[in-house]
């Protein structure tokens, strides 16, 4: 419920300085606007989309945040496009193409993968990690074990990963 996606024309977005000093984006929602602070991933994607060199972006962010907001607003309006803005807890966490597969979120990735994995009751889950960029799930089959060297056993398994913010697609790889 804390995660929302907005598809908007960039000419209708407005960048400003958040009270924390970070960049914020106003997004039109129905007849109102909502403010969202932009996290580092979202800022990197905004810089990339608007072709603002990383070094310049970082310097403006640190030394002249008002100038950064002005610069971002200039390019949002000068080269309008439709973008999907992914938010979580009132924070922009991704600034993506409006063609991005929003339906493939981490919850769907797990609910799709788990019934398949459940068919192997001997499977053991080694780790589950969710970062700002990706979800990783690692599972092994203990009864598929061999030693690569004496005393160094390895087990067959899978790694499932997904990114909700544009850092890679859903994947299932052998481990």
């Amino acid at each position: 419920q804390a995660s929302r996606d907005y598809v908007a024309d960039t000419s209708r977005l407005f960048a400003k300085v958040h009270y924390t000093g970070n960049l914020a984006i106003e997004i039109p929602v129905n007849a109102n606007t909502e403010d969202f602070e932009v996290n580092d991933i979202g800022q990197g994607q905004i810089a990339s989309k608007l072709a603002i060199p990383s070094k310049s972006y970082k310097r403006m962010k640190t030394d002249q945040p008002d100038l950064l907001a002005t610069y971002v607003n200039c390019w949002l309006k000068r080269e309008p496009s439709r973008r999907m803005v992914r938010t979580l807890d009132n924070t922009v966490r991704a600034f993506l193409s409006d063609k991005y597969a929003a339906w493939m979120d981490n919850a769907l990735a797990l609910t799709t993968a788990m019934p398949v994995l459940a068919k192997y009751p001997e499977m053991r889950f080694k780790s589950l990690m969710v970062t700002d960029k990706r979800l990783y799930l690692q599972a092994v089959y203990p009864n598929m074990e061999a030693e690569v060297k004496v005393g160094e056993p390895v087990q067959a398994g899978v790694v499932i990963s997904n990114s909700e913010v544009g850092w890679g697609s859903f994947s299932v790889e052998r481990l």
Side-chain angles (χ1 to χ4, degrees):
Q1 292 177 345
S3 175
R4 292 182 286 168
D5 297 332
Y6 301 93
V7 175
D9 187 305
T10 59
S11 65
R12 298 194 61 220
L13 302 177
F14 181 74
K16 63 184 186 179
V17 179
H18 192 261
Y19 70 86
T20 62
N22 288 325
L23 188 71
I25 298 288
E26 282 184 1
I27 300 173
V29 179
N30 301 322
N32 300 314
T33 60
E34 292 188 32
D35 291 356
F36 297 89
E37 184 177 13
V38 184
N39 73 9
D40 290 340
I41 293 168
Q43 289 194 53
Q45 291 169 333
I46 289 170
S48 176
K49 170 62 183 150
L50 302 179
I52 303 171
S54 178
K55 191 172 182 178
S56 297
Y57 189 98
K58 288 177 184 174
R59 184 169 184 198
M60 284 188 282
K61 178 183 170 186
T62 302
D63 298 341
Q64 295 289 324
D66 289 319
L67 177 61
L68 175 61
T70 300
Y71 203 79
V72 167
N73 283 322
C74 172
W75 291 112
L76 287 173
K77 285 157 188 46
R78 188 171 186 159
E79 297 176 356
S81 63
R82 291 181 53 79
R83 304 299 288 178
M84 182 174 73
V85 182
R86 276 209 130 152
T87 67
L88 177 66
D89 294 327
N90 296 317
T91 300
V92 170
R93 61 190 184 125
F95 190 76
L96 304 162
S97 163
D98 65 337
K99 308 284 189 277
Y100 189 80
W103 54 269
M104 184 48 106
D105 63 9
N106 291 339
L108 180 60
L110 288 175
T111 57
T112 301
M114 293 310 282
V116 176
L117 298 176
K119 292 179 182 179
Y120 304 94
E122 69 279 2
M123 180 176 298
R124 299 293 173 252
F125 295 97
K126 298 295 277 184
S127 66
L128 172 63
M129 181 173 44
V130 180
T131 69
D132 287 343
K133 294 179 183 175
R134 295 189 68 80
L135 161 117
Y136 300 95
L137 171 70
Q138 188 179 71
V140 295
Y141 302 98
N143 53 349
M144 292 182 74
E145 182 176 303
E147 287 187 344
V148 289
K149 289 183 183 176
V150 176
E152 290 186 28
V154 294
Q155 295 174 331
V158 296
V159 175
I160 297 171
S161 64
N162 186 56
S163 178
E164 297 180 319
V165 295
W167 282 80
S169 61
F170 174 79
S171 70
V172 179
E173 299 177 20
R174 290 182 301 221
L175 172 68

